[in-house]
Amino acid sequence: MKRRAFLATVVGLPLVAQAQSRDEYFSSFNPDALAKSVTGGVAARRGRVKLELPLLADNGNSVPVKIAVQSPMTPADHVRSIRLLSERNPEREMAVFHLGPRAGVAEISSRVRLAGSQRVVALAEMSGGSWWMETADVVVTLSACIDGTG
Amino acid sequence: MAARIQLPREAKRGEVIQVGILIQHPMETGFRLDSDMRKVPKNAIRSFVCRYNGEEIFRAELSPGIAANPYLQFPTRVEASGEFEFSWVDDNGVRDTARETITVA
């Protein structure tokens, strides 16, 4: 029993430590501050935006991303633009997509580059002037952009 | 630069279709080194516009944060048969255009 308890401690501890450090790592990113730098000081509310990114990417060079925003897409109420922001990339604003009521639905797919594990932010600007956001945490095992070897 | 376009050949009037385009472009970040260990200058597609029968339906501002050979998929409602025109410009000022037609019944 002693041996078993010892093993559990030795094997279990690094796992717990790793789990904590992952959470701590992602919570060190402040998406609200990043969002405000784009919205011109307007606080973006959570919701309406759906951001699909893989939890784990083997390679930061090409990570599939899909953004969907809940909106009736009518001339009176539609999504004006969708922005993709990165916490760690040399260029914070990865892309801006401009939509209009003609789009019918607000759904964009693309592939992004990520310079390491980070929290990705999707921001949607509505025709009424309100901003909505969603974040996704992605673990990147091999990053893009900042390493000189690629 | 070449592009591959994903578009249904036919659609019903008023239908929302997904338009996909894959553009051949390195989207250089400016951080990559070539075989002589010199930095490859930054060169990315910055502006992308899609027009349908002359009317702008989608516009995007891109950066090196978009993967090489950028892929974009976006929706649009089609009301009449016509032509999609995609055009883009990169950091070197190189412009290109691709076209595809659709029949709307």
Side-chain angles (χ1 to χ4, degrees):
Chain A
M1 280 303 279
K2 265 187 180 170
R3 183 170 169 271
R4 192 167 293 173
F6 171 76
L7 275 176
T9 316
V10 170
V11 175
L13 263 181
L15 289 175
V16 171
Q18 208 171 24
Q20 278 173 345
S21 67
R22 184 189 184 278
D23 286 347
E24 276 164 22
Y25 181 80
F26 283 113
S27 63
S28 68
F29 295 119
N30 183 0
D32 297 296
L34 184 66
K36 271 195 180 166
S37 68
V38 177
T39 60
V42 182
R45 276 176 281 175
R46 297 274 180 155
R48 287 185 77 170
V49 184
K50 212 171 105 188
L51 176 61
E52 278 178 43
L53 269 161
L55 289 172
L56 183 99
D58 285 345
N59 186 323
N61 282 315
S62 184
V63 185
V65 57
K66 187 177 172 185
I67 315 122
V69 186
Q70 262 177 37
S71 165
M73 294 306 272
T74 58
D77 181 10
H78 58 265
V79 178
R80 202 178 286 159
S81 68
I82 296 173
R83 277 150 212 268
L84 266 179
L85 309 179
S86 153
E87 292 269 7
R88 271 185 81 180
N89 280 11
E91 285 190 37
R92 290 286 169 94
E93 202 165 67
M94 296 192 281
V96 188
F97 306 110
H98 299 273
L99 299 163
R102 267 210 66 158
V105 289
E107 246 182 55
I108 308 285
S109 299
S110 189
R111 291 197 277 256
V112 292
R113 270 204 189 102
L114 296 176
S117 302
Q118 58 185 295
R119 186 163 279 177
V120 175
V121 181
L123 266 174
E125 181 193 14
M126 302 295 172
S127 54
S130 65
W131 289 83
W132 297 80
M133 70 183 277
E134 180 60 295
T135 61
D137 298 343
V138 190
V139 174
V140 177
T141 18
L142 187 70
S143 91
C145 307
I146 47 174
D147 61 331
T149 51
Chain B
M1 285 186 281
R4 187 179 296 168
I5 297 160
Q6 289 173 345
L7 203 62
R9 200 168 287 173
E10 290 171 18
K12 289 199 183 84
R13 191 180 300 273
E15 191 183 334
V16 174
I17 60 160
Q18 290 288 336
V19 183
I21 183 164
L22 183 76
I23 303 170
Q24 214 175 67
H25 194 283
M27 297 296 273
E28 288 293 351
T29 59
F31 296 93
R32 207 169 62 87
L33 302 176
D34 65 12
S35 52
D36 299 326
M37 297 305 277
R38 280 181 307 226
K39 274 195 174 173
V40 179
K42 190 183 275 194
N43 180 24
I45 294 174
R46 294 289 171 172
S47 150
F48 171 89
V49 182
C50 177
R51 290 186 185 84
Y52 184 59
N53 288 340
E55 188 195 340
E56 183 182 302
I57 57 163
F58 179 79
R59 190 157 49 89
E61 290 146 39
L62 308 179
S63 76
I66 295 295
N69 298 324
Y71 173 73
L72 289 172
Q73 195 189 61
F74 51 91
T76 191
R77 182 175 278 129
V78 284
E79 300 290 354
S81 296
E83 189 184 57
F84 284 93
E85 187 198 75
F86 309 87
S87 45
W88 56 92
V89 191
D90 71 8
D91 279 327
N92 292 347
V94 177
R95 291 166 183 278
D96 205 354
T97 304
R99 288 182 177 83
E100 192 67 72
T101 55
I102 185 170
T103 308
V104 176

Coordinates of all heavy atoms in Angstrom, one line a residue, chain A residues 55-150:
Chain A
L55 N -9.1 22.1 -30.4 CA -8.5 22.3 -29.1 C -7.0 22.2 -29.2 O -6.3 22.8 -28.5 CB -9.0 21.2 -28.1 CG -10.5 21.3 -27.7 CD1 -10.9 20.1 -26.9 CD2 -10.7 22.5 -26.9
L56 N -6.6 21.3 -30.1 CA -5.1 21.0 -30.2 C -4.7 21.1 -31.7 O -5.4 20.4 -32.5 CB -4.8 19.7 -29.6 CG -3.3 19.3 -29.6 CD1 -2.7 19.6 -28.3 CD2 -3.1 17.9 -30.0
A57 N -3.7 21.8 -32.0 CA -3.2 21.9 -33.4 C -1.8 21.4 -33.4 O -1.0 21.9 -32.6 CB -3.3 23.3 -33.9
D58 N -1.5 20.4 -34.2 CA -0.1 19.9 -34.3 C 0.8 21.0 -34.8 O 2.0 21.0 -34.4 CB -0.1 18.7 -35.3 CG -0.7 17.5 -34.7 OD1 -0.9 17.5 -33.5 OD2 -1.1 16.6 -35.5
N59 N 0.3 21.9 -35.6 CA 1.1 22.8 -36.4 C 0.4 24.1 -36.4 O -0.8 24.1 -36.8 CB 1.2 22.1 -37.7 CG 2.2 22.8 -38.6 OD1 2.2 24.0 -38.6 ND2 2.9 22.0 -39.4
G60 N 1.1 25.2 -36.1 CA 0.4 26.5 -36.2 C 0.3 27.1 -37.5 O -0.3 28.1 -37.7
N61 N 0.8 26.4 -38.5 CA 0.9 27.0 -39.9 C -0.5 27.1 -40.6 O -0.7 27.9 -41.4 CB 1.8 26.2 -40.8 CG 3.3 26.6 -40.5 OD1 3.6 27.8 -40.3 ND2 4.1 25.6 -40.3
S62 N -1.4 26.2 -40.2 CA -2.7 26.2 -40.9 C -3.7 25.5 -39.9 O -3.8 24.3 -39.8 CB -2.5 25.3 -42.2 OG -3.8 25.4 -42.9
V63 N -4.4 26.4 -39.3 CA -5.4 25.9 -38.3 C -6.8 26.3 -38.8 O -7.1 27.5 -39.0 CB -5.2 26.5 -36.9 CG1 -6.1 26.0 -35.9 CG2 -3.7 26.3 -36.5
P64 N -7.7 25.3 -39.0 CA -9.0 25.6 -39.6 C -9.8 26.4 -38.5 O -9.8 26.1 -37.3 CB -9.6 24.3 -39.9 CG -8.8 23.3 -39.1 CD -7.5 23.9 -38.9
V65 N -10.6 27.4 -39.0 CA -11.4 28.2 -38.1 C -12.7 28.5 -38.8 O -12.8 28.6 -40.0 CB -10.7 29.5 -37.7 CG1 -10.3 30.3 -39.0 CG2 -11.5 30.4 -36.8
K66 N -13.8 28.4 -37.9 CA -15.1 28.7 -38.5 C -15.8 29.7 -37.5 O -15.8 29.4 -36.3 CB -15.9 27.5 -38.6 CG -17.3 27.7 -39.3 CD -18.0 26.3 -39.5 CE -19.4 26.6 -40.0 NZ -20.1 25.3 -40.1
I67 N -16.4 30.8 -38.0 CA -17.1 31.7 -37.1 C -18.5 31.8 -37.6 O -18.7 32.0 -38.8 CB -16.4 33.1 -37.2 CG1 -14.9 33.0 -37.1 CG2 -17.0 34.0 -36.1 CD1 -14.2 33.6 -38.3
A68 N -19.4 31.7 -36.7 CA -20.8 31.8 -37.0 C -21.5 32.8 -36.1 O -21.2 32.7 -34.9 CB -21.6 30.5 -37.0
V69 N -22.2 33.8 -36.6 CA -22.9 34.8 -35.7 C -24.4 34.7 -35.9 O -24.9 34.6 -37.0 CB -22.4 36.2 -36.1 CG1 -22.9 37.2 -35.1 CG2 -20.9 36.3 -36.1
Q70 N -25.1 34.7 -34.7 CA -26.5 34.6 -34.8 C -27.1 36.0 -35.2 O -26.9 37.0 -34.5 CB -27.0 34.3 -33.4 CG -27.4 32.9 -33.1 CD -27.8 32.6 -31.7 OE1 -28.5 33.5 -31.1 NE2 -27.4 31.5 -31.1
S71 N -27.7 36.0 -36.3 CA -28.3 37.3 -36.8 C -29.3 37.0 -37.8 O -29.2 36.1 -38.6 CB -27.1 38.2 -37.4 OG -27.7 39.2 -38.1
P72 N -30.4 37.8 -37.9 CA -31.4 37.6 -38.9 C -30.9 38.0 -40.3 O -31.5 37.7 -41.3 CB -32.6 38.5 -38.5 CG -32.0 39.5 -37.5 CD -30.8 38.8 -36.9
M73 N -29.8 38.8 -40.3 CA -29.2 39.3 -41.6 C -30.2 40.0 -42.5 O -30.4 39.7 -43.7 CB -28.5 38.2 -42.4 CG -27.3 37.6 -41.6 SD -26.1 38.8 -41.1 CE -25.0 38.8 -42.6
T74 N -31.0 40.9 -41.9 CA -31.9 41.8 -42.6 C -31.2 43.2 -42.8 O -30.3 43.5 -42.0 CB -33.2 41.9 -41.9 OG1 -32.9 42.5 -40.6 CG2 -33.9 40.6 -41.7
P75 N -31.7 44.0 -43.7 CA -31.1 45.4 -43.8 C -31.1 46.1 -42.5 O -30.2 46.9 -42.2 CB -32.0 46.1 -44.8 CG -32.5 44.9 -45.7 CD -32.7 43.8 -44.7
A76 N -32.1 45.9 -41.6 CA -32.2 46.6 -40.3 C -31.3 46.0 -39.3 O -30.9 46.7 -38.4 CB -33.7 46.6 -39.9
D77 N -31.1 44.7 -39.3 CA -30.3 44.0 -38.3 C -29.4 43.0 -38.9 O -29.9 41.9 -39.3 CB -31.3 43.4 -37.3 CG -30.5 42.7 -36.1 OD1 -29.3 42.9 -36.0 OD2 -31.2 42.0 -35.3
H78 N -28.2 43.3 -39.1 CA -27.2 42.3 -39.7 C -25.8 42.5 -39.1 O -25.6 43.4 -38.3 CB -27.2 42.5 -41.2 CG -26.8 43.8 -41.7 ND1 -27.7 44.8 -42.0 CD2 -25.6 44.4 -41.9 CE1 -27.1 45.9 -42.4 NE2 -25.8 45.7 -42.3
V79 N -25.0 41.5 -39.4 CA -23.6 41.6 -39.0 C -22.8 42.4 -40.0 O -22.9 42.2 -41.2 CB -23.0 40.2 -38.9 CG1 -21.5 40.3 -38.5 CG2 -23.7 39.3 -38.0
R80 N -22.2 43.5 -39.5 CA -21.4 44.4 -40.4 C -20.0 43.8 -40.7 O -19.6 43.8 -41.8 CB -21.3 45.8 -39.8 CG -21.1 46.9 -40.8 CD -21.0 48.2 -40.1 NE -22.3 48.7 -39.7 CZ -22.5 49.6 -38.8 NH1 -21.5 50.2 -38.2 NH2 -23.7 50.1 -38.5
S81 N -19.4 43.4 -39.6 CA -18.0 42.8 -39.8 C -17.7 41.8 -38.7 O -18.3 41.8 -37.6 CB -17.0 43.9 -39.8 OG -16.9 44.5 -38.6
I82 N -16.8 40.9 -39.1 CA -16.3 39.9 -38.1 C -14.8 40.0 -38.1 O -14.1 40.1 -39.2 CB -16.7 38.5 -38.6 CG1 -18.2 38.3 -38.6 CG2 -16.0 37.4 -37.7 CD1 -18.7 37.0 -39.1
R83 N -14.2 40.1 -36.9 CA -12.8 40.2 -36.8 C -12.2 39.1 -36.0 O -12.8 38.6 -35.1 CB -12.4 41.5 -36.0 CG -12.4 42.8 -36.9 CD -12.8 44.0 -36.0 NE -13.5 44.9 -36.9 CZ -12.9 45.9 -37.6 NH1 -11.6 46.1 -37.4 NH2 -13.6 46.7 -38.3
L84 N -11.0 38.6 -36.5 CA -10.3 37.5 -35.8 C -9.1 38.1 -35.2 O -8.2 38.6 -35.9 CB -9.9 36.4 -36.8 CG -10.9 35.3 -37.0 CD1 -10.3 34.3 -38.1 CD2 -11.1 34.5 -35.7
L85 N -8.9 38.0 -33.9 CA -7.8 38.6 -33.2 C -7.0 37.5 -32.5 O -7.5 36.5 -32.1 CB -8.2 39.6 -32.1 CG -9.2 40.7 -32.6 CD1 -9.5 41.5 -31.4 CD2 -8.6 41.5 -33.7
S86 N -5.7 37.7 -32.5 CA -4.7 36.8 -31.9 C -4.0 37.4 -30.7 O -3.6 38.6 -30.9 CB -3.8 36.3 -32.9 OG -2.6 35.9 -32.3
E87 N -3.8 36.7 -29.6 CA -3.1 37.3 -28.5 C -1.6 37.2 -28.7 O -0.8 38.0 -28.1 CB -3.4 36.5 -27.2 CG -4.8 36.6 -26.7 CD -5.0 37.8 -25.7 OE1 -4.0 38.5 -25.5 OE2 -6.1 37.9 -25.2
R88 N -1.1 36.3 -29.5 CA 0.4 36.1 -29.6 C 1.0 36.3 -30.9 O 2.2 36.3 -31.0 CB 0.7 34.7 -29.1 CG 0.9 34.6 -27.6 CD 1.3 33.2 -27.2 NE 2.8 33.0 -27.4 CZ 3.3 31.9 -27.2 NH1 2.7 30.9 -26.7 NH2 4.6 31.7 -27.4
N89 N 0.2 36.5 -32.0 CA 0.8 36.7 -33.3 C 1.4 38.1 -33.4 O 1.0 39.0 -32.7 CB -0.3 36.6 -34.4 CG -0.7 35.1 -34.7 OD1 -0.2 34.2 -34.0 ND2 -1.4 34.9 -35.7
P90 N 2.5 38.2 -34.2 CA 3.1 39.5 -34.4 C 2.0 40.6 -34.9 O 2.1 41.7 -34.5 CB 4.1 39.3 -35.5 CG 4.5 37.8 -35.4 CD 3.2 37.2 -35.0
E91 N 1.1 40.1 -35.7 CA 0.0 41.0 -36.1 C -1.3 40.6 -35.4 O -1.7 39.4 -35.7 CB -0.2 41.0 -37.7 CG 0.9 41.8 -38.4 CD 0.6 42.0 -39.9 OE1 -0.5 42.2 -40.3 OE2 1.6 41.9 -40.6
R92 N -1.7 41.4 -34.5 CA -2.9 41.0 -33.7 C -4.1 40.7 -34.4 O -4.9 39.8 -34.1 CB -3.1 42.1 -32.6 CG -2.1 42.3 -31.6 CD -2.2 41.1 -30.6 NE -1.0 41.0 -29.8 CZ -1.0 41.6 -28.5 NH1 -2.0 42.3 -28.1 NH2 0.1 41.4 -27.8
E93 N -4.4 41.6 -35.5 CA -5.6 41.4 -36.2 C -5.3 40.5 -37.4 O -4.7 40.9 -38.4 CB -6.1 42.8 -36.7 CG -7.6 42.8 -37.0 CD -8.2 44.2 -37.1 OE1 -7.8 44.9 -38.1 OE2 -9.0 44.5 -36.3
M94 N -5.8 39.2 -37.3 CA -5.5 38.3 -38.4 C -6.3 38.5 -39.6 O -5.9 38.4 -40.7 CB -5.8 36.8 -37.8 CG -4.8 36.5 -36.7 SD -4.9 34.7 -36.3 CE -6.4 34.7 -35.3
A95 N -7.6 38.9 -39.4 CA -8.5 39.1 -40.6 C -9.7 39.9 -40.2 O -10.2 39.8 -39.0 CB -8.9 37.8 -41.2
V96 N -10.2 40.7 -41.1 CA -11.5 41.4 -41.0 C -12.4 41.0 -42.2 O -11.9 41.0 -43.3 CB -11.3 42.9 -41.0 CG1 -12.6 43.6 -40.6 CG2 -10.2 43.3 -40.1
F97 N -13.6 40.5 -41.9 CA -14.5 40.1 -42.9 C -15.7 41.0 -42.9 O -16.3 41.2 -41.9 CB -15.0 38.6 -42.7 CG -13.8 37.6 -42.5 CD1 -13.6 37.0 -41.3 CD2 -13.0 37.3 -43.6 CE1 -12.6 36.1 -41.2 CE2 -12.0 36.4 -43.5 CZ -11.8 35.8 -42.2
H98 N -16.0 41.6 -44.0 CA -17.1 42.6 -44.1 C -18.3 41.9 -44.8 O -18.2 41.4 -45.9 CB -16.7 43.8 -44.9 CG -15.6 44.6 -44.3 ND1 -15.8 45.5 -43.4 CD2 -14.2 44.5 -44.5 CE1 -14.6 46.0 -43.0 NE2 -13.6 45.4 -43.6
L99 N -19.4 41.9 -44.1 CA -20.6 41.2 -44.6 C -21.7 42.2 -44.7 O -21.6 43.4 -44.3 CB -21.1 40.1 -43.6 CG -20.1 39.0 -43.3 CD1 -20.6 38.3 -42.0 CD2 -20.1 38.0 -44.5
G100 N -22.8 41.8 -45.3 CA -24.0 42.7 -45.4 C -25.2 41.8 -45.4 O -25.1 40.6 -45.3
P101 N -26.4 42.4 -45.4 CA -27.6 41.7 -45.4 C -27.7 40.6 -46.5 O -28.4 39.6 -46.4 CB -28.7 42.7 -45.5 CG -28.0 44.0 -45.9 CD -26.6 43.9 -45.5
R102 N -27.0 40.9 -47.6 CA -27.0 40.0 -48.8 C -26.4 38.6 -48.5 O -26.7 37.6 -49.2 CB -26.2 40.6 -50.0 CG -27.1 41.4 -50.9 CD -26.5 41.3 -52.3 NE -26.6 40.0 -52.9 CZ -26.6 39.8 -54.2 NH1 -26.5 40.8 -55.0 NH2 -26.6 38.5 -54.6
A103 N -25.6 38.5 -47.4 CA -25.0 37.3 -47.1 C -26.0 36.2 -46.7 O -25.7 35.0 -46.9 CB -24.0 37.5 -46.0
G104 N -27.1 36.6 -46.2 CA -28.2 35.6 -45.8 C -27.9 35.0 -44.4 O -28.8 35.0 -43.6
V105 N -26.7 34.5 -44.2 CA -26.3 34.0 -42.9 C -24.9 34.5 -42.6 O -24.2 34.9 -43.6 CB -26.3 32.4 -42.8 CG1 -27.6 31.8 -42.8 CG2 -25.4 31.9 -43.9
A106 N -24.5 34.6 -41.4 CA -23.2 35.1 -41.0 C -22.3 33.9 -40.6 O -22.3 33.5 -39.5 CB -23.3 36.2 -39.9
E107 N -21.6 33.4 -41.6 CA -20.8 32.2 -41.4 C -19.6 32.3 -42.2 O -19.7 32.3 -43.5 CB -21.6 31.0 -41.8 CG -21.9 30.0 -40.6 CD -22.7 28.8 -41.1 OE1 -22.2 28.1 -42.0 OE2 -23.8 28.6 -40.7
I108 N -18.4 32.3 -41.6 CA -17.1 32.4 -42.4 C -16.2 31.2 -42.0 O -16.1 30.9 -40.8 CB -16.4 33.7 -42.1 CG1 -17.3 34.9 -42.3 CG2 -15.2 33.9 -42.9 CD1 -17.6 35.3 -43.7
S109 N -15.6 30.6 -43.0 CA -14.5 29.6 -42.7 C -13.2 30.1 -43.3 O -13.2 30.6 -44.4 CB -14.9 28.3 -43.2 OG -16.1 27.8 -42.7
S110 N -12.1 29.8 -42.6 CA -10.8 30.0 -43.2 C -9.8 29.2 -42.5 O -10.2 28.3 -41.7 CB -10.5 31.5 -43.1 OG -9.3 31.8 -43.8
R111 N -8.5 29.5 -42.7 CA -7.4 28.8 -42.0 C -6.5 29.9 -41.5 O -6.1 30.7 -42.3 CB -6.8 27.8 -42.9 CG -7.7 26.6 -43.3 CD -6.9 25.5 -43.8 NE -6.6 25.6 -45.3 CZ -7.3 25.0 -46.2 NH1 -8.2 24.1 -45.9 NH2 -7.0 25.1 -47.5
V112 N -6.1 29.8 -40.3 CA -5.2 30.8 -39.7 C -3.8 30.3 -39.3 O -3.6 29.0 -39.2 CB -5.8 31.5 -38.5 CG1 -7.0 32.3 -38.9 CG2 -6.2 30.5 -37.4
R113 N -2.9 31.2 -39.1 CA -1.6 30.8 -38.6 C -1.6 31.3 -37.1 O -2.0 32.4 -36.8 CB -0.5 31.7 -39.3 CG 0.1 31.0 -40.5 CD 1.4 31.6 -40.8 NE 1.9 31.2 -42.1 CZ 1.9 31.9 -43.1 NH1 1.5 33.1 -43.1 NH2 2.3 31.4 -44.3
L114 N -1.0 30.4 -36.3 CA -1.0 30.8 -34.9 C 0.5 30.6 -34.3 O 1.1 29.6 -34.5 CB -1.9 29.9 -34.0 CG -3.4 30.0 -34.3 CD1 -4.2 29.0 -33.5 CD2 -3.9 31.4 -34.1
A115 N 1.0 31.7 -33.7 CA 2.3 31.7 -33.2 C 2.3 31.2 -31.8 O 2.4 31.9 -30.8 CB 2.9 33.1 -33.2
G116 N 2.0 29.9 -31.6 CA 2.0 29.3 -30.3 C 0.6 29.2 -29.7 O -0.4 29.7 -30.2
S117 N 0.5 28.4 -28.6 CA -0.7 28.2 -27.9 C -1.3 29.6 -27.4 O -0.5 30.4 -26.9 CB -0.5 27.4 -26.6 OG 0.0 26.1 -27.0
Q118 N -2.5 29.8 -27.6 CA -3.1 31.1 -27.2 C -4.6 31.1 -27.2 O -5.2 30.1 -27.6 CB -2.6 32.1 -28.2 CG -3.0 31.8 -29.7 CD -2.4 32.8 -30.6 OE1 -2.8 34.0 -30.6 NE2 -1.5 32.4 -31.4
R119 N -5.2 32.2 -26.8 CA -6.6 32.4 -26.8 C -6.9 33.2 -28.1 O -6.4 34.3 -28.2 CB -7.0 33.1 -25.6 CG -8.5 33.3 -25.4 CD -8.8 33.7 -23.9 NE -8.8 32.5 -23.1 CZ -9.0 32.5 -21.8 NH1 -9.2 33.7 -21.2 NH2 -9.0 31.4 -21.1
V120 N -7.8 32.7 -28.9 CA -8.1 33.4 -30.2 C -9.5 34.1 -29.9 O -10.4 33.5 -29.2 CB -8.2 32.4 -31.4 CG1 -8.8 33.1 -32.6 CG2 -6.9 31.8 -31.6
V121 N -9.6 35.3 -30.4 CA -10.9 36.1 -30.2 C -11.6 36.4 -31.5 O -10.9 36.8 -32.4 CB -10.5 37.4 -29.5 CG1 -11.8 38.2 -29.2 CG2 -9.7 37.2 -28.2
A122 N -12.9 36.1 -31.5 CA -13.7 36.5 -32.7 C -14.6 37.6 -32.2 O -15.3 37.5 -31.2 CB -14.5 35.3 -33.2
L123 N -14.7 38.7 -33.0 CA -15.5 39.8 -32.6 C -16.5 40.1 -33.8 O -16.1 40.1 -34.9 CB -14.6 41.0 -32.5 CG -14.1 41.5 -31.1 CD1 -13.1 42.6 -31.3 CD2 -15.2 41.9 -30.2
A124 N -17.7 40.3 -33.4 CA -18.7 40.6 -34.5 C -19.3 42.0 -34.2 O -19.7 42.3 -33.1 CB -19.8 39.6 -34.5
E125 N -19.3 42.8 -35.2 CA -19.9 44.2 -35.1 C -21.3 44.1 -35.8 O -21.4 43.8 -37.0 CB -19.0 45.2 -35.8 CG -19.5 46.6 -35.8 CD -18.7 47.5 -36.7 OE1 -18.0 47.1 -37.6 OE2 -18.9 48.8 -36.5
M126 N -22.3 44.5 -35.1 CA -23.7 44.5 -35.6 C -24.0 45.8 -36.2 O -23.4 46.8 -35.9 CB -24.7 44.2 -34.5 CG -24.4 42.9 -33.8 SD -24.6 41.4 -34.9 CE -24.0 40.1 -33.8
S127 N -25.0 45.8 -37.1 CA -25.4 47.0 -37.8 C -25.9 48.1 -36.8 O -25.8 49.3 -37.0 CB -26.5 46.7 -38.8 OG -27.6 46.1 -38.2
G128 N -26.4 47.6 -35.6 CA -26.9 48.5 -34.6 C -25.7 49.2 -33.8 O -26.0 50.0 -32.9
G129 N -24.5 48.7 -34.0 CA -23.4 49.3 -33.3 C -22.9 48.5 -32.1 O -21.9 48.8 -31.5
S130 N -23.6 47.4 -31.8 CA -23.2 46.6 -30.7 C -22.1 45.6 -31.1 O -22.0 45.2 -32.3 CB -24.3 45.8 -30.1 OG -24.9 44.9 -31.0
W131 N -21.2 45.2 -30.1 CA -20.1 44.3 -30.4 C -20.4 43.0 -29.6 O -20.7 43.1 -28.4 CB -18.8 44.9 -30.0 CG -18.3 45.9 -31.0 CD1 -18.7 47.3 -30.9 CD2 -17.5 45.8 -32.1 NE1 -18.1 48.0 -31.9 CE2 -17.3 47.1 -32.6 CE3 -16.8 44.7 -32.6 CZ2 -16.5 47.3 -33.8 CZ3 -15.9 45.0 -33.7 CH2 -15.8 46.3 -34.3
W132 N -20.1 41.9 -30.2 CA -20.2 40.6 -29.5 C -18.9 39.8 -29.7 O -18.3 40.0 -30.7 CB -21.4 39.8 -30.1 CG -22.7 40.5 -29.8 CD1 -23.2 41.5 -30.6 CD2 -23.6 40.3 -28.8 NE1 -24.4 41.9 -30.0 CE2 -24.7 41.2 -28.9 CE3 -23.7 39.4 -27.7 CZ2 -25.8 41.2 -28.0 CZ3 -24.8 39.4 -26.8 CH2 -25.8 40.3 -27.0
M133 N -18.6 39.0 -28.7 CA -17.3 38.2 -28.9 C -17.4 36.8 -28.4 O -18.3 36.4 -27.6 CB -16.2 39.0 -28.1 CG -16.4 38.9 -26.6 SD -15.1 39.9 -25.8 CE -13.8 38.7 -25.8
E134 N -16.4 36.0 -28.8 CA -16.2 34.7 -28.3 C -14.8 34.4 -28.3 O -14.0 34.9 -29.2 CB -17.0 33.7 -29.2 CG -16.9 32.2 -28.8 CD -17.4 31.9 -27.4 OE1 -16.8 32.4 -26.4 OE2 -18.4 31.2 -27.2
T135 N -14.3 33.5 -27.4 CA -12.9 33.2 -27.4 C -12.8 31.6 -27.5 O -13.7 30.9 -27.2 CB -12.2 33.6 -26.1 OG1 -12.8 33.0 -25.0 CG2 -12.3 35.1 -25.9
A136 N -11.6 31.2 -28.0 CA -11.3 29.8 -28.0 C -9.8 29.6 -27.7 O -9.0 30.3 -28.1 CB -11.6 29.2 -29.4
D137 N -9.6 28.6 -26.8 CA -8.2 28.3 -26.4 C -7.6 27.2 -27.3 O -8.2 26.1 -27.4 CB -8.1 27.9 -25.0 CG -8.6 28.9 -24.0 OD1 -8.7 30.1 -24.4 OD2 -8.9 28.6 -22.8
V138 N -6.5 27.5 -27.9 CA -5.9 26.5 -28.8 C -4.5 26.2 -28.3 O -3.7 27.1 -28.1 CB -5.8 27.0 -30.3 CG1 -5.4 25.9 -31.2 CG2 -7.1 27.6 -30.7
V139 N -4.2 24.9 -28.2 CA -2.8 24.5 -27.8 C -2.1 24.1 -29.2 O -2.6 23.3 -30.0 CB -2.9 23.2 -26.9 CG1 -1.4 22.7 -26.7 CG2 -3.5 23.5 -25.6
V140 N -1.0 24.8 -29.4 CA -0.3 24.6 -30.6 C 1.1 23.9 -30.3 O 1.8 24.5 -29.5 CB 0.0 25.9 -31.4 CG1 0.8 25.7 -32.6 CG2 -1.3 26.6 -31.7
T141 N 1.3 22.7 -30.8 CA 2.5 22.0 -30.5 C 3.7 22.6 -31.2 O 4.8 22.7 -30.7 CB 2.4 20.5 -30.7 OG1 1.3 20.3 -31.6 CG2 2.2 19.8 -29.5
L142 N 3.5 23.0 -32.5 CA 4.6 23.6 -33.2 C 4.1 24.9 -33.8 O 3.1 24.9 -34.6 CB 5.0 22.7 -34.4 CG 6.2 23.0 -35.2 CD1 7.5 22.9 -34.4 CD2 6.3 22.2 -36.4
S143 N 4.7 26.0 -33.4 CA 4.1 27.3 -33.7 C 4.6 27.8 -35.1 O 5.5 27.3 -35.7 CB 4.5 28.4 -32.7 OG 5.7 29.0 -33.1
A144 N 3.9 28.8 -35.6 CA 4.2 29.5 -36.9 C 4.7 30.9 -36.6 O 4.6 31.3 -35.5 CB 3.0 29.5 -37.8
C145 N 5.1 31.6 -37.6 CA 5.5 33.0 -37.6 C 6.8 33.3 -36.9 O 7.7 33.9 -37.5 CB 4.4 33.9 -36.9 SG 2.8 33.7 -37.6
I146 N 6.9 33.0 -35.6 CA 8.0 33.5 -34.8 C 9.3 32.7 -34.9 O 10.3 33.2 -34.6 CB 7.7 33.9 -33.4 CG1 6.9 32.7 -32.7 CG2 6.8 35.1 -33.3 CD1 6.7 32.9 -31.2
D147 N 9.2 31.4 -35.2 CA 10.4 30.6 -35.3 C 11.1 30.8 -36.6 O 10.4 30.8 -37.7 CB 10.2 29.2 -35.0 CG 9.2 28.5 -35.9 OD1 8.4 29.2 -36.5 OD2 9.4 27.3 -36.2
G148 N 12.4 31.0 -36.6 CA 13.1 31.3 -37.9 C 13.4 30.1 -38.7 O 14.0 30.2 -39.8
T149 N 13.0 28.9 -38.2 CA 13.5 27.7 -38.9 C 12.5 27.2 -40.0 O 12.9 26.5 -40.9 CB 13.6 26.5 -37.9 OG1 12.4 26.4 -37.2 CG2 14.7 26.7 -37.0
G150 N 11.2 27.6 -39.9 CA 10.1 27.2 -40.7 C 10.5 27.4 -42.2 O 9.8 26.8 -43.0

